[in-house]
Coordinates of all heavy atoms in Angstrom, one line a residue:
L131 N 13.8 7.2 25.0 CA 13.0 8.4 25.1 C 11.9 8.3 26.1 O 11.5 9.3 26.7 CB 12.4 8.7 23.7 CG 13.3 8.8 22.5 CD1 12.5 9.1 21.2 CD2 14.5 9.8 22.7
L132 N 11.4 7.1 26.3 CA 10.3 6.8 27.3 C 10.7 5.8 28.3 O 11.5 4.9 28.0 CB 9.0 6.3 26.5 CG 8.4 7.2 25.4 CD1 7.2 6.6 24.9 CD2 8.2 8.6 25.9
P133 N 10.1 5.9 29.5 CA 10.5 4.9 30.5 C 10.1 3.5 30.1 O 9.0 3.3 29.5 CB 9.6 5.3 31.8 CG 9.3 6.8 31.5 CD 9.2 6.9 30.0
R134 N 10.9 2.5 30.4 CA 10.6 1.1 30.1 C 9.3 0.6 30.8 O 8.6 -0.1 30.2 CB 11.8 0.2 30.5 CG 13.1 0.4 29.7 CD 14.1 -0.5 30.1 NE 15.4 -0.3 29.4 CZ 15.7 -0.8 28.2 NH1 14.8 -1.6 27.6 NH2 16.8 -0.5 27.6
G135 N 9.1 1.1 32.0 CA 7.9 0.7 32.7 C 6.6 1.2 32.0 O 5.6 0.4 32.0
L136 N 6.7 2.4 31.5 CA 5.5 2.9 30.7 C 5.3 2.1 29.5 O 4.1 1.7 29.2 CB 5.8 4.4 30.4 CG 4.8 5.0 29.4 CD1 3.4 5.1 30.1 CD2 5.3 6.4 29.0
L137 N 6.3 1.8 28.7 CA 6.2 1.0 27.5 C 5.6 -0.4 27.9 O 4.7 -0.9 27.1 CB 7.6 0.9 26.8 CG 8.1 2.1 26.2 CD1 9.6 1.9 25.7 CD2 7.3 2.6 25.1
Q138 N 6.1 -1.0 28.9 CA 5.5 -2.3 29.3 C 4.1 -2.2 29.7 O 3.3 -3.1 29.3 CB 6.4 -2.9 30.4 CG 6.1 -4.3 30.8 CD 6.4 -5.2 29.6 OE1 7.3 -5.0 28.8 NE2 5.5 -6.2 29.3
S139 N 3.7 -1.1 30.4 CA 2.3 -1.0 30.7 C 1.4 -0.8 29.5 O 0.3 -1.4 29.4 CB 2.1 0.2 31.7 OG 2.8 0.1 32.9
V140 N 1.9 -0.1 28.5 CA 1.1 0.1 27.3 C 1.0 -1.2 26.6 O -0.1 -1.6 26.1 CB 1.9 1.1 26.4 CG1 1.2 1.2 25.0 CG2 1.8 2.5 27.0
K141 N 2.0 -2.0 26.6 CA 2.0 -3.3 25.9 C 1.0 -4.3 26.6 O 0.3 -5.1 25.9 CB 3.4 -4.0 25.9 CG 4.4 -3.3 24.9 CD 5.8 -3.9 25.2 CE 6.8 -3.3 24.3 NZ 6.7 -3.8 22.9
E142 N 1.0 -4.2 27.9 CA 0.1 -5.1 28.7 C -1.4 -4.6 28.8 O -2.2 -5.4 29.2 CB 0.7 -5.3 30.1 CG 2.0 -6.0 30.1 CD 2.6 -6.0 31.5 OE1 2.1 -5.3 32.4 OE2 3.7 -6.6 31.6
A143 N -1.7 -3.4 28.3 CA -3.0 -2.9 28.4 C -4.0 -3.8 27.6 O -3.6 -4.4 26.6 CB -3.1 -1.5 27.9
R144 N -5.2 -3.8 28.0 CA -6.2 -4.8 27.4 C -6.9 -4.3 26.1 O -7.5 -5.0 25.4 CB -7.3 -5.1 28.4 CG -6.7 -5.9 29.6 CD -7.7 -6.0 30.7 NE -8.0 -4.7 31.3 CZ -8.8 -4.4 32.3 NH1 -9.5 -5.4 32.8 NH2 -9.0 -3.2 32.8
S145 N -6.7 -3.0 25.8 CA -7.4 -2.4 24.6 C -6.7 -1.3 24.1 O -5.8 -0.7 24.8 CB -8.8 -2.1 25.0 OG -8.8 -1.0 25.9
F146 N -7.1 -0.9 22.9 CA -6.5 0.4 22.3 C -6.8 1.6 23.1 O -6.0 2.4 23.4 CB -7.1 0.5 20.9 CG -6.8 1.8 20.2 CD1 -5.6 2.3 20.1 CD2 -7.9 2.5 19.6 CE1 -5.2 3.4 19.4 CE2 -7.6 3.7 18.9 CZ -6.3 4.2 18.8
E147 N -8.1 1.7 23.6 CA -8.5 2.8 24.4 C -7.7 2.9 25.7 O -7.3 4.0 26.1 CB -10.0 2.7 24.8 CG -10.9 2.9 23.6 CD -11.0 1.7 22.6 OE1 -10.5 0.6 23.0 OE2 -11.4 1.9 21.5
E148 N -7.4 1.8 26.3 CA -6.6 1.8 27.5 C -5.2 2.2 27.3 O -4.6 2.9 28.0 CB -6.6 0.4 28.2 CG -5.9 0.4 29.6 CD -6.0 -1.0 30.2 OE1 -6.9 -1.8 29.8 OE2 -5.2 -1.2 31.2
R149 N -4.6 1.8 26.1 CA -3.3 2.2 25.8 C -3.2 3.7 25.5 O -2.3 4.4 26.0 CB -2.8 1.4 24.5 CG -2.3 0.0 24.8 CD -1.8 -0.6 23.5 NE -2.8 -1.3 22.8 CZ -3.3 -2.5 23.1 NH1 -2.8 -3.2 24.1 NH2 -4.2 -3.1 22.4
V150 N -4.2 4.3 24.9 CA -4.3 5.7 24.6 C -4.3 6.4 26.0 O -3.6 7.4 26.2 CB -5.5 6.1 23.8 CG1 -5.6 7.6 23.7 CG2 -5.3 5.5 22.3
S151 N -5.2 6.0 26.9 CA -5.3 6.6 28.2 C -4.0 6.6 29.0 O -3.6 7.6 29.6 CB -6.4 5.9 29.0 OG -7.7 6.1 28.4
L152 N -3.3 5.5 29.0 CA -2.1 5.4 29.7 C -1.0 6.4 29.2 O -0.4 7.1 29.9 CB -1.5 4.0 29.6 CG -2.2 2.9 30.5 CD1 -1.7 1.5 30.1 CD2 -1.8 3.2 32.0
L153 N -0.8 6.4 27.9 CA 0.2 7.2 27.3 C -0.2 8.7 27.3 O 0.7 9.6 27.6 CB 0.5 6.8 25.8 CG 1.8 7.2 25.2 CD1 3.0 6.9 26.1 CD2 2.0 6.5 23.9
E154 N -1.4 9.0 27.1 CA -1.9 10.3 27.1 C -1.7 10.9 28.5 O -1.3 12.1 28.7 CB -3.4 10.4 26.8 CG -3.9 11.7 26.4 CD -5.3 11.6 25.8 OE1 -6.2 11.1 26.5 OE2 -5.5 12.1 24.7
A155 N -2.1 10.2 29.6 CA -1.9 10.7 30.9 C -0.4 11.0 31.2 O -0.1 12.0 31.9 CB -2.4 9.7 31.9
W156 N 0.5 10.1 30.8 CA 1.9 10.3 31.0 C 2.4 11.5 30.3 O 3.1 12.4 30.8 CB 2.7 9.1 30.6 CG 4.1 9.2 31.0 CD1 4.7 8.9 32.2 CD2 5.2 9.6 30.2 NE1 6.0 9.1 32.2 CE2 6.4 9.5 31.0 CE3 5.3 10.0 28.9 CZ2 7.6 9.9 30.4 CZ3 6.5 10.4 28.3 CH2 7.7 10.3 29.1
L157 N 2.0 11.7 29.0 CA 2.5 12.8 28.2 C 1.9 14.1 28.8 O 2.6 15.2 28.8 CB 2.0 12.7 26.8 CG 2.7 11.6 26.0 CD1 2.0 11.3 24.7 CD2 4.2 11.9 25.7
L158 N 0.7 14.1 29.3 CA 0.1 15.3 29.9 C 0.9 15.7 31.1 O 1.2 16.9 31.4 CB -1.3 15.1 30.3 CG -2.4 15.3 29.2 CD1 -3.8 14.7 29.7 CD2 -2.5 16.7 28.9
N159 N 1.3 14.7 31.9 CA 2.1 15.0 33.1 C 3.5 15.6 32.8 O 4.0 16.5 33.4 CB 2.3 13.7 33.9 CG 3.0 14.0 35.2 OD1 2.6 14.7 36.1 ND2 4.2 13.3 35.4
Q160 N 4.1 15.1 31.7 CA 5.3 15.7 31.2 C 5.2 17.1 30.7 O 6.1 17.9 30.8 CB 5.9 14.8 30.1 CG 6.2 13.3 30.6 CD 7.2 13.3 31.7 OE1 8.3 13.8 31.7 NE2 6.8 12.7 32.8
H161 N 4.0 17.3 30.0 CA 3.8 18.6 29.3 C 3.7 19.7 30.4 O 4.4 20.7 30.3 CB 2.5 18.5 28.5 CG 2.2 19.7 27.7 ND1 3.1 20.7 27.4 CD2 1.0 20.2 27.3 CE1 2.6 21.6 26.7 NE2 1.2 21.4 26.7
Q162 N 2.8 19.6 31.3 CA 2.6 20.5 32.4 C 2.6 22.0 32.0 O 3.2 22.8 32.6 CB 3.7 20.3 33.5 CG 3.7 18.9 34.1 CD 4.8 18.7 35.1 OE1 5.8 19.4 35.0 NE2 4.7 17.8 36.0
N163 N 1.8 22.2 30.9 CA 1.6 23.6 30.4 C 2.9 24.3 30.1 O 3.1 25.5 30.3 CB 0.8 24.4 31.4 CG -0.6 23.8 31.6 OD1 -1.2 23.5 30.6 ND2 -1.1 23.8 32.8
K164 N 3.9 23.6 29.7 CA 5.2 24.2 29.3 C 5.0 25.1 28.1 O 4.2 24.8 27.2 CB 6.2 23.1 29.0 CG 6.6 22.2 30.1 CD 7.6 21.1 29.6 CE 7.9 20.1 30.6 NZ 8.7 19.0 30.1
S165 N 5.7 26.2 28.1 CA 5.7 27.1 27.0 C 6.9 26.9 26.1 O 8.0 26.6 26.7 CB 5.5 28.6 27.4 OG 6.6 28.9 28.2
N166 N 6.8 27.1 24.8 CA 8.0 27.0 24.0 C 7.8 28.1 22.9 O 7.0 27.9 21.9 CB 8.0 25.6 23.3 CG 9.2 25.4 22.5 OD1 9.8 26.3 21.9 ND2 9.8 24.1 22.6
N167 N 8.5 29.2 23.1 CA 8.4 30.3 22.1 C 8.9 29.9 20.7 O 8.3 30.4 19.7 CB 9.2 31.5 22.6 CG 8.7 32.1 23.9 OD1 7.5 32.0 24.1 ND2 9.5 32.6 24.7
R168 N 9.9 29.1 20.6 CA 10.3 28.7 19.3 C 9.3 27.9 18.5 O 9.0 28.0 17.4 CB 11.6 27.9 19.4 CG 12.8 28.7 19.7 CD 14.1 28.0 19.4 NE 14.2 26.7 20.2 CZ 14.7 26.6 21.4 NH1 15.1 27.7 22.0 NH2 14.7 25.4 22.0
L169 N 8.6 27.0 19.3 CA 7.6 26.1 18.7 C 6.4 27.0 18.2 O 5.8 26.8 17.2 CB 7.1 25.1 19.7 CG 6.0 24.1 19.1 CD1 6.4 23.4 17.9 CD2 5.5 23.1 20.2
H170 N 6.0 28.0 19.1 CA 5.0 28.9 18.7 C 5.3 29.7 17.4 O 4.5 29.9 16.6 CB 4.7 29.9 19.9 CG 3.6 30.9 19.5 ND1 2.3 30.6 19.5 CD2 3.7 32.2 19.2 CE1 1.6 31.7 19.2 NE2 2.5 32.7 19.0
F171 N 6.6 30.1 17.3 CA 7.1 30.8 16.2 C 6.9 29.9 14.9 O 6.4 30.4 13.9 CB 8.6 31.1 16.4 CG 9.2 31.8 15.2 CD1 9.4 33.2 15.2 CD2 9.8 31.1 14.2 CE1 10.0 33.8 14.2 CE2 10.4 31.7 13.1 CZ 10.5 33.1 13.1
I172 N 7.2 28.6 15.0 CA 7.1 27.7 13.9 C 5.7 27.5 13.5 O 5.3 27.5 12.3 CB 7.9 26.4 14.1 CG1 9.4 26.7 14.4 CG2 7.7 25.4 13.0 CD1 10.1 27.5 13.3
R173 N 4.8 27.2 14.5 CA 3.4 27.0 14.3 C 2.8 28.2 13.5 O 2.0 28.0 12.6 CB 2.7 26.7 15.6 CG 3.1 25.4 16.3 CD 2.3 24.3 15.7 NE 2.9 23.0 16.1 CZ 2.7 22.5 17.3 NH1 2.0 23.1 18.2 NH2 3.3 21.3 17.6
E174 N 3.1 29.4 14.0 CA 2.6 30.5 13.3 C 3.1 30.6 11.9 O 2.3 31.0 11.0 CB 3.0 31.8 14.1 CG 2.3 33.0 13.7 CD 2.6 34.2 14.6 OE1 3.7 34.9 14.4 OE2 1.8 34.4 15.6
A175 N 4.3 30.3 11.6 CA 4.8 30.3 10.3 C 4.2 29.4 9.4 O 3.8 29.7 8.2 CB 6.4 30.1 10.3
I176 N 3.9 28.1 9.9 CA 3.3 27.1 9.1 C 1.8 27.5 8.8 O 1.3 27.4 7.7 CB 3.3 25.8 9.8 CG1 4.7 25.2 9.9 CG2 2.4 24.7 9.2 CD1 4.9 24.0 10.8
G177 N 1.2 28.1 9.8 CA -0.2 28.6 9.7 C -0.3 29.7 8.6 O -1.2 29.7 7.8
N178 N 0.7 30.6 8.6 CA 0.7 31.7 7.6 C 0.9 31.1 6.2 O 0.4 31.6 5.2 CB 1.8 32.7 7.9 CG 1.5 33.5 9.1 OD1 0.4 33.7 9.4 ND2 2.6 34.0 9.8
Y179 N 1.7 30.0 6.1 CA 2.0 29.4 4.8 C 0.7 28.7 4.3 O 0.3 28.9 3.1 CB 3.1 28.4 4.9 CG 3.5 27.7 3.6 CD1 4.2 28.4 2.6 CD2 3.1 26.4 3.4 CE1 4.5 27.8 1.5 CE2 3.4 25.8 2.2 CZ 4.1 26.5 1.2 OH 4.5 25.9 0.0
L180 N 0.0 28.0 5.2 CA -1.2 27.4 4.7 C -2.3 28.4 4.4 O -3.1 28.2 3.4 CB -1.7 26.4 5.9 CG -0.8 25.2 6.2 CD1 -1.2 24.5 7.4 CD2 -0.7 24.3 5.0
Q181 N -2.4 29.4 5.2 CA -3.4 30.4 5.0 C -3.2 31.2 3.7 O -4.1 31.8 3.1 CB -3.5 31.4 6.2 CG -4.1 30.7 7.4 CD -3.9 31.5 8.6 OE1 -3.6 32.7 8.6 NE2 -4.1 30.9 9.8
G182 N -1.9 31.2 3.3 CA -1.5 31.9 2.0 C -1.6 31.0 0.8 O -1.0 31.3 -0.2
D183 N -2.4 29.9 0.9 CA -2.6 29.0 -0.2 C -1.3 28.4 -0.7 O -1.1 28.2 -1.9 CB -3.4 29.6 -1.3 CG -4.8 30.0 -0.9 OD1 -5.4 29.3 -0.1 OD2 -5.3 31.1 -1.4
L184 N -0.3 28.2 0.2 CA 0.9 27.5 -0.2 C 1.8 28.4 -1.1 O 2.7 27.8 -1.7 CB 0.7 26.2 -0.8 CG -0.3 25.2 -0.1 CD1 -0.4 23.9 -0.9 CD2 0.0 25.0 1.3
L185 N 1.5 29.7 -1.2 CA 2.2 30.5 -2.1 C 3.3 31.4 -1.5 O 4.2 31.8 -2.2 CB 1.2 31.3 -2.9 CG 0.3 30.5 -3.8 CD1 -0.7 31.5 -4.4 CD2 1.0 29.8 -4.9
P186 N 3.2 31.9 -0.2 CA 4.1 32.8 0.3 C 5.6 32.3 0.3 O 5.9 31.1 0.5 CB 3.7 33.0 1.8 CG 2.3 32.5 1.8 CD 2.2 31.4 0.8
G187 N 6.5 33.2 0.0 CA 7.9 32.9 0.0 C 8.5 33.1 1.4 O 7.8 33.6 2.3
I188 N 9.7 32.7 1.6 CA 10.4 32.8 2.9 C 10.4 34.2 3.4 O 10.2 34.5 4.6 CB 11.8 32.1 2.9 CG1 11.7 30.7 2.4 CG2 12.4 32.3 4.3 CD1 10.7 29.8 3.3
N189 N 10.8 35.1 2.5 CA 10.9 36.5 2.9 C 9.6 37.1 3.4 O 9.5 37.8 4.4 CB 11.4 37.4 1.7 CG 12.9 37.1 1.4 OD1 13.7 36.6 2.3 ND2 13.3 37.4 0.2
E190 N 8.5 36.7 2.7 CA 7.2 37.2 3.1 C 6.8 36.6 4.4 O 6.2 37.3 5.3 CB 6.2 36.8 2.0 CG 4.7 37.3 2.3 CD 3.8 36.9 1.2 OE1 4.2 36.5 0.1 OE2 2.6 37.0 1.5
L191 N 7.0 35.3 4.6 CA 6.7 34.7 5.9 C 7.5 35.3 7.1 O 7.0 35.5 8.2 CB 7.0 33.2 5.8 CG 6.0 32.4 4.9 CD1 6.5 31.0 4.8 CD2 4.6 32.4 5.5
A192 N 8.8 35.6 6.8 CA 9.6 36.2 7.8 C 9.1 37.6 8.2 O 9.1 38.0 9.4 CB 11.0 36.3 7.3
E193 N 8.7 38.4 7.2 CA 8.1 39.7 7.4 C 6.9 39.7 8.3 O 6.7 40.6 9.1 CB 7.8 40.4 6.1 CG 9.1 40.8 5.3 CD 8.7 41.4 4.0 OE1 7.5 41.5 3.6 OE2 9.7 41.8 3.2
K194 N 6.1 38.7 8.1 CA 4.8 38.6 8.9 C 5.1 38.3 10.4 O 4.3 38.6 11.2 CB 4.0 37.4 8.4 CG 3.3 37.8 7.1 CD 2.3 36.7 6.6 CE 1.6 37.0 5.4 NZ 0.6 36.0 4.9
Q195 N 6.4 37.8 10.6 CA 6.7 37.5 12.0 C 7.8 38.6 12.5 O 8.4 38.4 13.6 CB 7.2 36.1 12.2 CG 6.1 35.1 12.0 CD 6.5 33.7 12.3 OE1 6.9 32.9 11.4 NE2 6.3 33.3 13.5
F196 N 8.0 39.6 11.7 CA 8.8 40.7 12.1 C 10.3 40.3 12.4 O 10.9 40.8 13.4 CB 8.2 41.5 13.3 CG 6.8 41.9 13.1 CD1 5.8 41.2 13.7 CD2 6.5 43.0 12.2 CE1 4.4 41.6 13.5 CE2 5.2 43.4 12.0 CZ 4.2 42.6 12.6

Side-chain angles (χ1 to χ4, degrees):
L131 309 181
L132 302 183
R134 292 182 183 273
L136 172 65
L137 292 171
Q138 191 60 38
S139 295
V140 171
K141 290 171 179 287
E142 294 174 354
R144 294 168 295 181
S145 67
F146 172 49
E147 290 74 18
E148 187 176 340
R149 279 184 272 278
V150 171
S151 295
L152 282 168
L153 199 49
E154 196 171 58
W156 187 83
L157 290 169
L158 275 171
N159 185 58
Q160 298 302 305
H161 182 26
Q162 297 178 339
N163 296 317
K164 296 175 185 175
S165 61
N166 186 324
N167 292 331
R168 289 195 301 272
L169 181 59
H170 177 74
F171 178 94
I172 298 308
R173 291 279 167 77
E174 191 173 84
I176 293 173
N178 288 335
Y179 182 74
L180 294 173
Q181 292 168 15
D183 296 325
L184 314 182
L185 296 175
I188 303 304
N189 289 336
E190 182 180 346
L191 291 171
E193 288 175 2
K194 287 186 176 182
Q195 294 189 267
F196 306 103

